[in-house]
Amino acid sequence: MGVMRLGYVHTRVTDLTESLHHYHNTLGMQVMAEEPGKAYLKAWDEYDHHSVVLEEGGVGLVKLGYKVERAEDIDQIEIRAQRFGTITERMSKGDNLAVSDGLRIVLPSEHVIELYHDVEQTGTATGTLNPEAWPRDLVGVGVPRVDHALITAEDPETLERFFTEVLDFRASERVVTEQGDDGQLIGSWMFCGNSPHDIAFIKGPNAKLHHFAYSLTDWNEILRAGDLFAMDDVSVDIGPTRHGITRGTTIYFFDPSGNRNEVFAGGYTTFRDFPTITWTADQLAKGIFYIGRELNERFTSVLT
Ligand code: FE
């Protein structure tokens, strides 16, 4: 079946100690391993060894890791990617802690993604035998898992074609300048699983990160996360509010380095045969922030 899910977000931070305070004490991720200038963290309901890598030195995205179902999927994707004209490189087991060999691809948007077929699984905090509903020793927000990332691309059309033709993703929702054949693509929300997006991108500079997100269960948890951001003096971009696109509820906030994070809850379930939903640019603000129907200046200009 190919790509299954977003497995890890590897991001740069300016100060590792300060960042660990945010990702552990406020968000509640557990530190799984540390190297000089690097930390590997996981959320409580994730099976894999880690889902976030923090690397000291700068801001923004180093790379995104997506897990494929079978080793053979890598071979097929490599052929398709090369046919598409993208730069690929084989990676070895051990290039990434706890991650198998795989394929590294420089996307048409200059972001790096890695595809791998195996990763060490250390298990969730509640286990797989008669599990409790949640762990009692959660810290802060206690995020259960990483959900998606949104990146920017100078040419969203080509990037969407890449994810469709090479990686078999589908677009759940798209934003176009206008309805009909003359409409140019402004953004696309694409999935490989059953959530509205495993990756999304909007028009903007190449190689930049807009945000990566954690899924929470519901609106009450979003509000509670907001309370914790107030308690911990986290810089909030916008929210709590709802997206028109994906229908998810949300808060955007910044880590201490200025990388935008999101807590996201309540997006719908989707399937590969569902028609793609279209938004026109005149309704973009409502698509992004359904209730306020206004895009703040930061939302479109602050990227890392
Ligand atoms: Fe998001």
Side-chain angles (χ1 to χ4, degrees):
M1 86 150 246
V3 184
M4 293 196 294
R5 64 168 180 272
L6 174 63
Y8 52 85
V9 177
H10 185 147
T11 185
R12 288 194 187 84
V13 294
T14 48
D15 183 317
L16 191 57
T17 309
E18 199 181 28
S19 300
L20 283 172
H21 187 81
H22 170 82
Y23 286 93
H24 173 66
N25 291 1
T26 301
L27 295 182
M29 299 193 86
Q30 295 300 315
V31 178
M32 296 299 291
E34 282 186 272
E35 292 167 13
K38 231 187 222 184
Y40 301 79
L41 299 96
K42 77 181 290 174
W44 76 261
D45 204 19
E46 290 171 334
Y47 292 101
D48 297 351
H49 180 272
H50 61 268
S51 59
V52 168
V53 182
L54 304 175
E55 182 172 336
E56 195 162 58
V59 291
L61 203 57
V62 177
K63 56 200 179 186
L64 297 170
Y66 283 85
K67 187 164 190 271
V68 302
E69 190 175 0
R70 299 165 307 217
E72 307 89 85
D73 294 326
I74 303 275
D75 305 327
Q76 193 186 16
I77 290 168
E78 183 178 40
I79 293 166
R80 288 192 198 169
Q82 288 172 355
R83 207 176 287 152
F84 196 92
T86 39
I87 301 163
T88 68
E89 165 183 78
R90 284 280 173 165
M91 63 181 203
S92 307
K93 182 176 165 67
D95 278 9
N96 297 289
L97 181 67
V99 177
S100 72
D101 60 327
L103 185 69
R104 191 171 292 127
I105 301 176
V106 182
L107 295 176
S109 57
E110 297 169 25
H111 299 86
V112 175
I113 63 165
E114 291 177 335
L115 302 163
Y116 57 97
H117 58 88
D118 197 20
V119 58
E120 187 191 329
Q121 292 195 329
T122 54
T124 67
T126 50
T128 51
L129 180 66
N130 307 324
E132 301 298 349
W134 40 270
R136 296 184 71 138
D137 55 354
L138 284 182
V139 176
V141 178
V143 290
R145 69 189 72 88
V146 165
D147 189 76
H148 65 268
L150 192 153
I151 57 180
T152 55
E154 281 169 23
D155 179 1
E157 203 96 43
T158 301
L159 191 56
E160 187 187 60
R161 203 160 55 76
F162 177 88
F163 271 94
T164 306
E165 292 175 11
V166 178
L167 299 177
D168 266 335
F169 279 50
R170 304 253 322 151
S172 60
E173 310 205 26
R174 310 171 85 228
V175 181
V176 293
T177 51
E178 58 181 299
Q179 245 185 315
D181 293 343
D182 291 338
Q184 304 284 308
L185 187 67
I186 295 174
S188 186
W189 280 250
M190 302 192 78
F191 65 96
C192 57
N194 293 107
S195 68
H197 53 342
D198 296 288
I199 184 99
F201 36 91
I202 52 174
K203 197 170 172 63
N206 278 348
K208 291 289 189 185
L209 172 70
H210 186 278
H211 69 267
F212 66 93
Y214 298 90
S215 66
L216 296 182
T217 307
D218 57 30
W219 174 244
N220 288 332
E221 288 195 357
I222 295 284
L223 178 64
R224 182 177 170 276
D227 291 342
L228 284 153
F229 298 156
M231 291 178 204
D232 289 358
D233 203 21
V234 171
S235 169
V236 171
D237 186 7
I238 194 157
T241 184
R242 180 200 281 281
H243 294 305
I245 297 166
T246 75
R247 292 187 220 143
T249 53
T250 177
I251 302 175
Y252 286 118
F253 55 102
F254 295 101
D255 78 1
S257 308
N259 295 306
R260 190 185 283 96
N261 296 164
E262 179 187 21
V263 283
F264 174 88
Y268 52 75
T269 300
T270 193
F271 290 91
R272 295 184 61 81
D273 61 326
F274 282 16
T276 301
I277 292 165
T278 301
W279 292 80
T280 48
D282 59 314
Q283 297 295 310
L284 176 65
K286 188 174 176 181
I288 303 286
F289 299 124
Y290 186 69
I291 298 169
R293 285 156 285 142
E294 223 172 278
L295 289 179
N296 68 29
E297 160 67 17
R298 271 192 313 272
F299 183 80
T300 45
S301 63
V302 177
L303 307 166
T304 57

